[in-house]
C-alpha cells in the first residue's frame, strides 16, 4: 500500500514537472542601445509571431552589459540558461559546431513552405553549412571589406576615385600624391586597419595565406605572406604614407578619416557607413580594394542560429526564417547595419539608397565575387589574440620587420595548434579529483581545526562559546561554501584543461602542465611586467599623495575633505570612460606626439595618473590615524623644542606606522587586481602594453574559455600576493610600532 | 602665514581634482559632436535634452517606454543595494561582536583567517562559484550577488565592527550581564543600539561598492530587465555607435545617487572610520 502511494506520488510529480508552462522562445540578437531601430522591428516581429501562434511568448534578451556579445553568449550557454535563438559571427561557427551547440535547421526548413534557398546569396548561405552540408544558420547581414575614399582630398591633388581593377602600384602612386602637409595640418594617403580579417585581403592578394586548415599548421612564414606584410610596413614606415590611427581599439574614437585627413581608409566593412553618415565637410564614397597578384577581400558575416538545446525546434526554425526574411533584412539595410544576405533586400532601394553617400553601394555586391572567408577553424579568437602583438609591433610601432613578425607568428600559432591537439588527447579528470578532492581537503582542514583548537572549556565558558558559534554561523558557512570550497576546487581545476560550457566532469587531466605553460607564455610575463610596473609607480605615489593630503586636511574643512574623496566614490566604469576621453584629447596628443592609446610607453603612466585621482580611501584612513595620535606626544615634542619638520619625522610618521603599513599592503593588493580601468579604456592594447594581470585572466577564462589555465593564473596571483604581504610584514617588523607596545 | 600657504596649496590641488568633473559636466551638456571642440567651457546653450536621451538609451530595452526601462534599472540597483547593506550589517556585526567580545577556542586563528580573506584576489574563486551557482539554477537572478553578503560578509566590515566593539566599555557589558542578559542579549541590547556610527560607515561603503559593481552583474545577470545601472552604463560605453555627450550624461546620472548619499551621510561615514581605525 505504501509503495503504491509512493509510486503515485512519483507519477504525479513527474507529470506536473512536465512543461505545463506556456511555451517561451528566448532570443538574443541585437542590443537595444546600439541598434534601436532594429530593436523596434524585432519587437514588432515578435508580437506578430505571438499573435500567429497563440500560447507562445517571445522573450528578447540583450547582449549589453560591457562584455562583447560573444562572451555574453558564451556565459549564458555556460550557465545553462534557456536560449533558443542568437546571432553568431561566422568566425565562431566551427567552435560552436564543435561543441555541438547549434540546431540543424534542415529538417525543419524542409517542411516550411515559406522557405526558399534561392532568396539568398549562395556564398553567404553556404558559409553556415557544417561539414555535413546541413544548414546551421540563416544570414543576417554581411560585408565584404572595401576602401572608403575621401573624394574631396583626391580632387585637391587632381585625382579621381579609382575603379575596379586598380592595383597596388596605383595605390602607392595615389597615396604619395595625397600625403602632404597642408595649412590644415598633416594629410595622409592611407589609414590601414589592422585586425586579422582586415589584413587577410593583403595576404591573399599577394597569393599568401595564414594557415592551412587541412594540415592544421600555420603558413605565415611563406614568402607571399611575408611579402604582403612587408608591403604594408613599407607604406607605414619607409614611405610614411599611412596614419596609424586605425587600430581596433581606436575604432571607438573618432578617426583621421572622419576628420578629413585621410584619402583612403580600410580595408573595412559596411558598418562604417553608419558612423560616416555624420560627415558634412567633404565628399566620400567606397571603392574596391586594389588588386595585387590577384583580386581578393574578406567577408564578415553574422547569421541567426538556433540552439541545439531548444525545446521548440520547429518554432525556432520558423522564427529564424522570419528574422532572416525580407522585412527584417530591409530594416537592417535601411539603418546601415550591413549588406543583407537576402538578395531582394540587397537589391532594394533600402540598401542602395540613391542620393545618400556612399553612392557606390554596388561595390559591396560586386566584391562578393572574389571575397573569401577566413579558413574554418575553431579558435580564431585565440589566434587573433596571439598574433595581435606581433602585428602591432610591426605595423603600428615599427619595432620589428615583416619577416621577424611573420616568423614569430608562425611559431606561436603552430605551438598553439599543437597544444590544442594535445589537449584533446588528454584523459578525463574524474569528479573525484575536481570535487571530491576539495571536499576531502576542506573536511580535513575543518577536522584539524576542531581537534587542535584546545581543551574543552569549563561549563560557564561553554555557553559563551555556544553563543560565539551561533553568531559566527553566517560568516562560517559563507567562508566554507563560497571561499574555501571554491578556492580548493580552483586549485584542482588548475591541474586540468576545462571549458566552462561543458559540465565539470568533462575536465581533462593536465597535471602540472598548466604551471609549466606559464614559463613559456609570453603574455603571462608581459601581464606580470605591466602589473608590477603599475604597482611600483602607483602605490608609492598615491600613498605619498594621500599622506600629504591628510596632513594638509587634518583639522581642515570637511568640504575640502569631501572634494578629495569624491573621485573615489565614482564607479570605475564611469571613471574609465571619463579618462579614456580625457587622455584622448588633443592637448594630451600634442604633448605625447601621438594618441595616448598608441603611445606604448605612456599607457601605464596614464593609468598611474588616473590612480592618483582616486586616493580618497587611503587618505581617509590616514586622517583617522592622525586623529588617533595622542596630543600629549606633540606637547612633549614642542617642549623639547622640536620644529614642525622634526615633529613630523619623529612623532607623526612613527605613530602612523601601522596605518601606513595597512595602506601599503592594501594598495599593493588592489593595484595587482586592476581590471575595470584597462577593460573599459584600452582592452590591453596597444600590442600588449596594458595587459594587466586580471584582464589577462578574465580573457583567458571568459573569452577563450580556458578555465583550467585561468585557475592556474588565479593561484599564481594568490601566491604572489601572499609572498609580497609576508615580505612587507617581515620588513616592517621592528620598524612599525603599535600603540601600547614598548618601542 | 603658514595657514595661508596651506590653504593656497589645497585650493590648487582641489582645482586639479575638479578638472575631470568639469569635463564630465560640460561635455554632458554639449550638443552632439561638439564636446571635443571646446572642452571645459560650458556650451553657450546647454543641451539638457542630452540627459533625457541618455536615460532613454539606458532603458532602451523596454520597447514601450524607455523611461520605464530606466526606472526598472534604478529599482533593481536600489533593491540590490539595500538588501546587500542589510545582509552585510547582520552578518558582519554578529561576527565582529563574537571576535571582539566572546571567548572561544580557535578565536585567534579564525580571526587571522578573516584578515587573510581580506587579501584574497577575487579571480581565484570566480570559476568554481560560477559552476556552483549554475548547478543551483541561480544564474540570471539576484541571488549570486546577494548570497556573499549574507553568507560570509566582507572581512573588512567584520574588522570594522570588531574594532568598534572593542571600544565599548567593559562596565556596560558587566552591568547588562548582571541584569541577566545572555551573550546574545548583550549583543542585541547593548552593542547593536550603540553601533550606529560603524553601521553607517559599513552601509555607505556597501552602497558605493554595490552601486558601482560591474564584475558580478556582468557575469550573472543576463535579462535586460534584471540589469543594474552600472551594467547598462558599461554596455552603453562599449556600444560601437555611441556619442560621447550622451555617454557623459549617462555617467553623470549613474554618479548622482552616490554623490547624494555621500553628501548626506558623510559625517557619519567619517566618524565610523575614525572610531574603528583610530585604534590601530
Amino acid at each position: 500500500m505504501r509503495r503504491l502511494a509512493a509510486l503515485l506520488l512519483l507519477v504525479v510529480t513527474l507529470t506536473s514537472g512536465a512543461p505545463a508552462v506556456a511555451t517561451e522562445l528566448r532570443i538574443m540578437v541585437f542590443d537595444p542601445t546600439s541598434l534601436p531601430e532594429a530593436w523596434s522591428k524585432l519587437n514588432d516581429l515578435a508580437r506578430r509571431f505571438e499573435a500567429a501562434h497563440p500560447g507562445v511568448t517571445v522573450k528578447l534578451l540583450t547582449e549589453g552589459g560591457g562584455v562583447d556579445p560573444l562572451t555574453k553568449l558564451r556565459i549564458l550557454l555556460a550557465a545553462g540558461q534557456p536560449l533558443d535563438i542568437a546571432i553568431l559571427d561566422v568566425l565562431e561557427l566551427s567552435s560552436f559546431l564543435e561543441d555541438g551547440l547549434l540546431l540543424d535547421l534542415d529538417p525543419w526548413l524542409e517542411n516550411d513552405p515559406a522557405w526558399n534557398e534561392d532568396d539568398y546569396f549562395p556564398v553567404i548561405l553556404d558559409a553556415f553549412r557544417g561539414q555535413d552540408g546541413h544548414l546551421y544558420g540563416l544570414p543576417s547581414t554581411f560585408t565584404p571589406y572595401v576602401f572608403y575614399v575621401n573624394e574631396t582630398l583626391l580632387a585637391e591633388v587632381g585625382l579621381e576615385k579609382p575603379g575596379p581593377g586598380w592595383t597596388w602600384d596605383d595605390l602607392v602612386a595615389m597615396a604619395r600624391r595625397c600625403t602632404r602637409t597642408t595649412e590644415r595640418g598633416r594629410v595622409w594617403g592611407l589609414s590601414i586597419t589592422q585586425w586579422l580579417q582586415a589584413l587577410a585581403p593583403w595576404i591573399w592578394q599577394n597569393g599568401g595565406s595564414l594557415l592551412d586548415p587541412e594540415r592544421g599548421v600555420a603558413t605565415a612564414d611563406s614568402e607571399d605572406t611575408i611579402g604582403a606584410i612587408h608591403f604594408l610596413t613599407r607604406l607605414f614606415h619607409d614611405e610614411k604614407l599611412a596614419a596609424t590611427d586605425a587600430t581596433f581599439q581606436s575604432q571607438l574614437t573618432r578617426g583621421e578619416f572622419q576628420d578629413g585627413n585621410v584619402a583612403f581608409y580600410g580595408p573595412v566593412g559596411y558598418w562604417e557607413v553608419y558612423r560616416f553618415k555624420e560627415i558634412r565637410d567633404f565628399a566620400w564614397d567606397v571603392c574596391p580594394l586594389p588588386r595585387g597578384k590577384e583580386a581578393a577581400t574578406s567577408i564578415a558575416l553574422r547569421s541567426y542560429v538556433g540552439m541545439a538545446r531548444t525545446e521548440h525546434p520547429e518554432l525556432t526554425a520558423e522564427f529564424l526564417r522570419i528574422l532572416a526574411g525580407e522585412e527584417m533584412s530591409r530594416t537592417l539595410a535601411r539603418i546601415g547595419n550591413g549588406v543583407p544576405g537576402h538578395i531582394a533586400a540587397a537589391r532594394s532601394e533600402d540598401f542602395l539608397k540613391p542620393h545618400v553617400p556612399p553612392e557606390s553601394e554596388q561595390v559591396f555586391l560586386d566584391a562578393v565575387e572574389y571575397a573569401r572567408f577566413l579558413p574554418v577553424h575553431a579558435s580564431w579568437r585565440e589566434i587573433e589574440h596571439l598574433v595581435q602583438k606581433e602585428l602591432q609591433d610591426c605595423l603600428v610601432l615599427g619595432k620589428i620587420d615583416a619577416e621577424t613578425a611573420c616568423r614569430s607568428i608562425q611559431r606561436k600559432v603552430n605551438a598553439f595548434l599543437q597544444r590544442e591537439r594535445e589537449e584533446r588527447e588528454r584523459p578525463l579528470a574524474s569528479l573525484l579529483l575536481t570535487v571530491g578532492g576539495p571536499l576531502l581537503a576542506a573536511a580535513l582542514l575543518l577536522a584539524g581545526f576542531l581537534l587542535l583548537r584546545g581543551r574543552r572549556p569549563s561549563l560557564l565558558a561553554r555557553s559563551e562559546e555556544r553563543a560565539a558559534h551561533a553568531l559566527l554561523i553566517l560568516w562560517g558557512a559563507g567562508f566554507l561554501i563560497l571561499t574555501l570550497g571554491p578556492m580548493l576546487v580552483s586549485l584542482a581545476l588548475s591541474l586540468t584543461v576545462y571549458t566552462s560550457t561543458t559540465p565539470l566532469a568533462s575536465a581533462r587531466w593536465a597535471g602540472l602542465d598548466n604551471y609549466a605553460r606559464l614559463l613559456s607564455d609570453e603574455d603571462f610575463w608581459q601581464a606580470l611586467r605591466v602589473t608590477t610596473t603599475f604597482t611600483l609607480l602607483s602605490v608609492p605615489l598615491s600613498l605619498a599623495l594621500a599622506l600629504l593630503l591628510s596632513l594638509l586636511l587634518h583639522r581642515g574643512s570637511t568640504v575640502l575633505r569631501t572634494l578629495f574623496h569624491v573621485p573615489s566614490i565614482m564607479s570605475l566604469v564611469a571613471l574609465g570612460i571619463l579618462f579614456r576621453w580625457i587622455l584622448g584629447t588633443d592637448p594630451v596628443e600634442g604633448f605625447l606626439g601621438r594618441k595616448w592609446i598608441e603611445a606604448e610607453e605612456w599607457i601605464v603612466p596614464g593609468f598611474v595618473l588616473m590612480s592618483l585621482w582616486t586616493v580618497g580611501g587611503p587618505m581617509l584612513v590616514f586622517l583617522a590615524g592622525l586623529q588617533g595620535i595622542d596630543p600629549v606626544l606633540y606637547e612633549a615634542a614642542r617642549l623639547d623644542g622640536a620644529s614642525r619638520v622634526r615633529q613630523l619625522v619623529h612623532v607623526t610618521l612613527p605613530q602612523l606606522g601601522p596605518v601606513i603599513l595597512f595602506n601599503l599592503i592594501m594598495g599593493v593588493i588592489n593595484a595587482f587586481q586592476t581590471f575595470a580601468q584597462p577593460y573599459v579604456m584600452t582592452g590591453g592594447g596597444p600590442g600588449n602594453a596594458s595587459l594587466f594581470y586580471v584582464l589577462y585572466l578574465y580573457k583567458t577564462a571568459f573569452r577563450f574559455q580556458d578555465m583550467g589555465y585561468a585557475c592556474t593564473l588565479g593561484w599564481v596571483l594568490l601566491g604572489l600576493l601572499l609572498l609580497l604581504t609576508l615580505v612587507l610584514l617581515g620588513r616592517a617588523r621592528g620598524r612599525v610600532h603599535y600603540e601600547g607596545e614598548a618601542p | 602665514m603658514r595657514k595661508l600657504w596651506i590653504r593656497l596649496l589645497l585650493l590648487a590641488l582641489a582645482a586639479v581634482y575638479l578638472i575631470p568633473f568639469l569635463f564630465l559636466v560640460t561635455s554632458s551638456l554639449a550638443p552632439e559632436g561638439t564636446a571635443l571642440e571646446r572642452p571645459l567651457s560650458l556650451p553657450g546653450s546647454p543641451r539638457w535634452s542630452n540627459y533625457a536621451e541618455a536615460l532613454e538609451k539606458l532603458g532602451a530595452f523596454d520597447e514601450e517606454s524607455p523611461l520605464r526601462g530606466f526606472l526598472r534599472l534604478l529599482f533593481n540597483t536600489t533593491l540590490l543595494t539595500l538588501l546587500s547593506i542589510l545582509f552585510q550589517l547582520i552578518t558582519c556585526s554578529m561576527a565582529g561582536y563574537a571576535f571582539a567580545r566572546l571567548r572561544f577556542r580557535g578565536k585567534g586563528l579564525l580571526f587571522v583567517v578573516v584578515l587573510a580573506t581580506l587579501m584574497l584576489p577575487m579571480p581565484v574563486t570566480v570559476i568554481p562559484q560560477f559552476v556552483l551557482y549554475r548547478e543551483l539554477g541561480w544564474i540570471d537572478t539576484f541571488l549570486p550577488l546577494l548570497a556573499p553578503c549574507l553568507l560570509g560578509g566582507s572581512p573588512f566590515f567584520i574588522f570594522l565592527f570588531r574594532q568598534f566593539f572593542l571600544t565599548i566599555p567593559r562596565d556596560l557589558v558587566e552591568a547588562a550581564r548582571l541584569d541577566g542578559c545572555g551573550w546574545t542579549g548583550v549583543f542585541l541590547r547593548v552593542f547593536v543600539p550603540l553601533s550606529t556610527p560603524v553601521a553607517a560607515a559599513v552601509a555607505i561603503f556597501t552602497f558605493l561598492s554595490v552601486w558601482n559593481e560591474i564584475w558580478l552583474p556582468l557575469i550573472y545577470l543576463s535579462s535586460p530587465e534584471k540589469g543594474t545601472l552600472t551594467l547598462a552604463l558599461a554596455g552603453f560605453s562599449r556600444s560601437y555607435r555611441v556619442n560621447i555627450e550622451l555617454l557623459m550624461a549617462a555617467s553623470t546620472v549613474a554618479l548622482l545617487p552616490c554623490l547624494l548619499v555621500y553628501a548626506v551621510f558623510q559625517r557619519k561615514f567619517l566618524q565610523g572610520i575614525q572610531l574603528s581605525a583610530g585604534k590601530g
Side-chain angles (χ1 to χ4, degrees):
Chain A
M1 194 57 210
R2 199 180 282 173
R3 245 177 234 175
L4 191 67
L7 196 68
L8 261 178
L9 196 68
L10 188 70
V11 170
V12 170
T13 5
L14 280 179
T15 45
S16 64
V21 281
T23 309
E24 189 181 66
L25 276 188
R26 289 167 66 95
I27 294 172
M28 188 179 81
V29 287
F30 298 114
D31 190 53
T33 45
S34 58
L35 284 179
E37 305 93 332
W39 182 254
S40 309
K41 188 78 208 164
L42 186 59
N43 271 279
D44 180 28
L45 292 177
R47 300 295 91 81
R48 272 153 49 197
F49 192 76
E50 285 169 351
H53 300 270
V56 177
T57 51
V58 179
K59 178 157 191 219
L60 304 174
L61 309 176
T62 54
E63 302 171 335
V67 259
D68 52 318
L70 183 67
T71 309
K72 185 82 208 174
L73 180 59
R74 277 288 189 181
I75 289 177
L76 266 182
L77 293 173
Q81 286 281 291
L83 183 70
D84 301 291
I85 293 178
I87 198 162
L88 196 66
D89 194 296
V90 67
L91 292 181
E92 313 297 336
L93 176 69
S94 54
S95 114
F96 273 65
L97 279 178
E98 197 167 273
D99 293 347
L101 294 169
L102 301 184
L103 175 70
D104 179 355
L105 301 177
D106 277 3
W108 311 102
L109 289 177
E110 273 167 20
N111 298 322
D112 187 342
W115 166 248
N116 181 5
E117 257 191 47
D118 301 332
D119 286 345
Y120 298 89
F121 291 102
V123 194
I124 304 298
L125 192 64
D126 291 347
F128 264 76
R129 286 190 197 280
Q131 283 175 330
D132 54 6
H134 290 208
L135 208 51
Y136 287 89
L138 301 183
S140 168
T141 56
F142 70 97
T143 175
Y145 279 63
V146 298
F147 262 145
Y148 286 70
V149 319
N150 181 333
E151 291 180 287
T152 309
L153 266 187
L154 287 186
E156 277 171 21
V157 290
L159 292 171
E160 272 184 23
K161 182 183 73 183
W166 68 311
T167 62
W168 282 15
D169 292 336
D170 298 335
L171 175 75
V172 175
M174 289 173 97
R176 279 187 193 141
R177 292 267 296 274
C178 294
T179 306
R180 66 219 153 92
T181 307
T182 65
E183 68 274 16
R184 289 201 313 272
R186 185 82 178 152
V187 171
W188 301 91
L190 302 162
S191 168
I192 292 177
T193 51
Q194 294 156 42
W195 54 97
L196 215 47
Q197 220 170 23
L199 287 169
W202 302 104
I203 295 170
W204 291 334
Q205 286 162 8
N206 205 37
S209 60
L210 279 163
L211 68 91
D212 178 350
E214 302 282 301
R215 292 187 295 136
V217 292
T219 49
D221 62 348
S222 75
E223 206 171 300
D224 292 333
T225 309
I226 296 176
I229 300 296
H230 179 71
F231 174 67
L232 295 178
T233 55
R234 211 181 98 202
L235 298 178
F236 276 113
H237 303 295
D238 301 340
E239 302 216 25
K240 302 205 186 311
L241 299 175
T244 50
D245 63 320
T247 57
F248 197 68
Q249 288 95 7
S250 62
Q251 276 228 319
L252 292 162
T253 59
R254 208 177 154 83
E256 296 279 3
F257 185 82
Q258 266 170 300
D259 289 339
N261 299 332
V262 163
F264 293 95
Y265 166 62
V268 72
Y270 185 82
W271 62 83
E272 295 289 19
V273 168
Y274 190 97
R275 255 189 348 158
F276 293 169
K277 71 182 179 193
E278 311 289 335
I279 293 174
R280 299 277 175 274
D281 305 342
F282 57 90
W284 60 279
D285 201 351
V286 290
C287 72
L289 297 184
R291 48 179 299 156
K293 293 178 192 163
E294 51 193 290
T297 190
S298 337
I299 301 191
L301 163 66
R302 303 217 299 167
S303 288
Y304 307 106
V305 292
M307 293 294 145
R309 63 164 63 154
T310 180
E311 285 170 9
H312 324 287
E314 192 170 359
L315 289 172
T316 298
E318 189 184 339
F319 198 75
L320 277 174
R321 195 250 302 147
I322 294 174
L323 276 174
E326 187 168 349
E327 199 181 335
M328 188 69 177
S329 298
R330 287 179 80 136
T331 304
L332 290 176
R334 203 159 43 241
I335 63 180
N337 185 59
V339 189
H342 194 282
I343 299 175
R347 300 214 168 122
S348 72
E349 296 214 332
D350 283 325
F351 176 66
L352 294 174
K353 293 191 195 73
H355 316 303
V356 178
E359 213 31 74
S360 317
E361 269 93 354
Q362 190 63 35
V363 166
F364 290 100
L365 302 182
D366 295 342
V368 175
E369 302 274 317
Y370 53 85
R372 308 179 200 177
F373 291 97
L374 286 173
V376 175
H377 189 277
S379 309
W380 270 118
R381 278 142 63 86
E382 284 90 334
I383 292 179
E384 178 138 35
H385 175 79
L386 276 181
V387 304
Q388 191 182 327
K389 179 177 183 302
E390 270 71 18
L391 290 175
Q392 291 203 356
D393 276 352
C394 173
L395 298 176
V396 184
L397 306 169
K399 288 201 303 198
I400 50 178
D401 65 17
E403 187 166 352
T404 318
C406 287
R407 294 210 185 284
S408 169
I409 287 173
Q410 173 80 4
R411 194 166 33 76
K412 277 170 115 175
V413 174
N414 272 341
F416 170 77
L417 293 173
Q418 175 69 24
R419 198 181 70 236
E420 214 180 31
R421 266 194 299 277
E422 282 170 6
E423 279 176 2
R424 286 205 194 98
E425 282 153 22
R426 290 184 187 280
L428 286 177
S430 91
L431 280 176
L432 273 180
L433 171 87
T434 49
V435 179
L439 279 182
L440 186 68
L444 283 176
L445 283 175
L446 198 62
F449 170 73
L450 290 178
L451 282 175
L452 295 174
R453 64 180 172 161
R455 287 187 30 225
R456 229 171 122 78
S458 69
L459 212 58
L460 190 68
R462 231 177 279 167
S463 80
E464 191 172 341
E465 189 165 282
R466 264 201 305 277
H469 288 168
L471 288 165
L472 282 172
I473 189 85
L474 285 175
W475 170 77
F479 174 71
L480 285 179
I481 301 169
L482 297 180
T483 304
L484 183 65
M487 270 176 74
L488 294 168
V489 172
S490 164
L491 184 62
L493 281 179
S494 79
L495 304 174
T496 67
V497 176
Y498 173 55
T499 316
S500 72
T501 27
T502 51
L504 216 48
S506 67
R508 288 173 186 276
W509 175 247
L512 289 173
D513 288 3
N514 279 338
Y515 290 88
R517 184 175 150 193
L518 291 171
L519 296 178
S520 60
D521 180 358
E522 286 172 31
D523 289 347
F524 163 73
W525 292 107
Q526 172 66 10
L528 212 53
R529 209 161 25 237
V530 169
T531 314
T532 314
T533 318
F534 173 76
T535 307
L536 285 177
L537 288 173
S538 143
V539 173
L541 285 176
S542 356
L543 282 199
L545 185 62
L547 187 60
L548 175 73
L549 284 176
S550 63
L551 287 172
L552 293 176
L553 288 169
H554 185 44
R555 289 188 242 288
S557 76
T558 37
V559 179
L560 278 174
R561 235 178 247 200
T562 314
L563 203 148
F564 287 109
H565 187 243
V566 158
S568 311
I569 68 172
M570 204 167 164
S571 83
L572 289 174
V573 172
L575 195 69
I577 293 172
L578 181 59
F579 267 82
R580 182 177 74 195
W581 189 60
I582 291 176
L583 292 170
T585 49
D586 291 343
V588 178
E589 191 181 340
F591 175 72
L592 299 180
R594 73 217 112 122
K595 289 199 165 57
W596 173 71
I597 205 139
E598 289 162 21
E600 209 183 5
E601 67 276 23
W602 286 104
I603 285 287
V604 171
F607 283 108
V608 173
L609 184 74
M610 186 173 144
S611 74
L612 293 185
W613 207 51
T614 52
V615 295
M619 180 189 82
L620 287 188
V621 178
F622 278 134
L623 276 169
L626 286 172
Q627 215 98 78
I629 299 178
D630 194 343
V632 173
L633 292 170
Y634 289 106
E635 205 71 37
R638 260 199 298 279
L639 287 178
D640 287 349
S643 68
R644 282 190 181 274
V645 177
R646 289 182 68 88
Q647 281 179 34
L648 178 70
V649 174
H650 294 288
V651 180
T652 312
L653 289 183
Q655 285 291 315
L656 276 183
V659 182
I660 295 177
L661 185 64
F662 172 81
N663 270 340
L664 183 64
I665 290 178
M666 289 319 288
V668 168
I669 289 172
N670 288 332
F672 255 86
Q673 295 186 58
T674 307
F675 169 75
Q677 304 92 310
Y679 176 72
V680 177
M681 293 167 72
T682 61
N688 279 331
S690 62
L691 189 69
F692 278 80
Y693 195 95
V694 174
L695 183 66
Y696 179 49
L697 192 150
Y698 169 84
K699 282 186 173 178
T700 309
F702 290 104
R703 271 184 82 155
F704 307 137
Q705 301 287 309
D706 204 347
M707 295 283 181
Y709 191 50
C711 286
T712 311
L713 289 171
W715 268 85
V716 168
L717 178 64
L718 179 62
L720 275 173
L721 289 180
L722 208 61
L723 199 70
L724 276 174
T725 310
L726 289 179
V727 168
L728 285 175
L729 284 175
R731 305 230 84 189
R733 176 164 302 178
R735 294 183 205 192
V736 173
H737 302 294
Y738 292 87
E739 209 177 330
E741 201 182 55
Chain B
M1 199 52 211
R2 184 183 155 271
K3 271 268 162 78
L4 184 69
W5 177 78
I6 287 185
R7 209 164 272 177
L8 282 178
L9 183 61
L10 273 174
L11 281 178
L13 277 171
V16 173
Y17 266 68
L18 270 179
I19 287 176
F21 275 119
L22 213 57
F23 258 82
L24 186 70
V25 176
T26 54
S27 54
S28 76
L29 290 171
E32 188 173 342
T34 63
L36 286 164
E37 283 163 17
R38 286 182 307 138
L40 284 183
S41 56
L42 206 61
S45 50
R47 196 160 176 276
W48 294 102
S49 61
N50 277 351
Y51 280 83
E53 271 180 60
L55 296 192
E56 289 186 359
K57 288 266 181 198
L58 291 176
F61 62 85
D62 190 326
E63 174 58 15
E64 285 163 36
S65 148
L67 190 65
R68 194 176 62 195
F70 170 76
L71 290 177
R72 178 87 216 182
L73 295 176
L74 197 62
F75 172 77
N76 290 345
T77 318
T78 314
L79 180 74
L80 269 173
T81 308
L82 292 181
L83 284 177
S84 302
I85 291 175
L86 181 70
F87 291 163
Q88 289 281 10
L89 287 179
I90 293 174
T91 304
C92 299
S93 63
M94 281 166 49
Y97 170 72
F99 282 121
R101 279 309 169 69
L102 298 180
R103 279 164 302 167
F104 53 95
R105 287 173 293 162
K107 176 169 153 182
L109 181 62
L110 285 185
F111 193 61
V112 169
V113 168
V114 172
L115 292 185
T117 50
L118 191 62
M119 48 162 289
L120 185 73
M122 125 301 268
V124 176
T125 50
V126 62
I127 292 160
Q129 278 177 1
F130 180 79
V131 176
L132 175 69
Y133 292 138
R134 176 176 76 193
E135 298 308 315
L136 291 171
W138 282 9
I139 307 286
D140 204 23
T141 70
F142 291 158
L143 292 173
L145 283 73
L146 293 173
C149 298
L150 188 64
L151 293 180
S154 147
F156 181 54
F157 298 156
I158 294 178
F159 176 75
L160 281 188
F161 267 110
R162 171 184 174 268
Q163 296 301 96
F164 177 74
F165 288 151
L166 282 176
T167 64
I168 289 176
R170 239 170 217 292
D171 307 347
L172 226 54
V173 182
E174 297 303 326
R177 289 288 289 166
L178 286 177
D179 283 351
C181 268
W183 289 110
T184 18
V186 172
F187 170 62
L188 289 174
R189 304 230 174 90
V190 180
F191 283 76
V192 169
L194 283 175
S195 61
T196 328
V198 67
V202 166
I204 296 188
F205 270 129
T206 313
F207 179 92
L208 295 177
S209 76
V210 175
W211 193 273
N212 295 329
E213 171 75 51
I214 180 68
W215 175 266
L216 292 175
L218 200 68
I219 297 175
Y220 293 114
L221 301 179
S222 43
S223 294
E225 73 276 8
K226 288 182 185 151
T228 66
L229 264 184
T230 306
L231 185 65
L233 179 65
F236 190 24
S237 84
R238 302 279 290 188
S239 154
Y240 173 55
R241 290 148 176 178
V242 65
N243 80 55
I244 195 80
E245 295 79 19
L246 293 192
L247 191 52
M248 291 295 148
S251 302
T252 314
V253 169
L255 174 66
L256 275 181
C258 295
L259 278 180
L260 205 69
V261 166
Y262 185 74
V264 174
F265 294 106
Q266 65 131 343
R267 269 169 58 99
K268 293 248 175 240
F269 173 69
L270 293 177
Q271 247 177 14
I273 301 201
Q274 269 149 21
L275 281 168
S276 314
K279 217 174 156 107

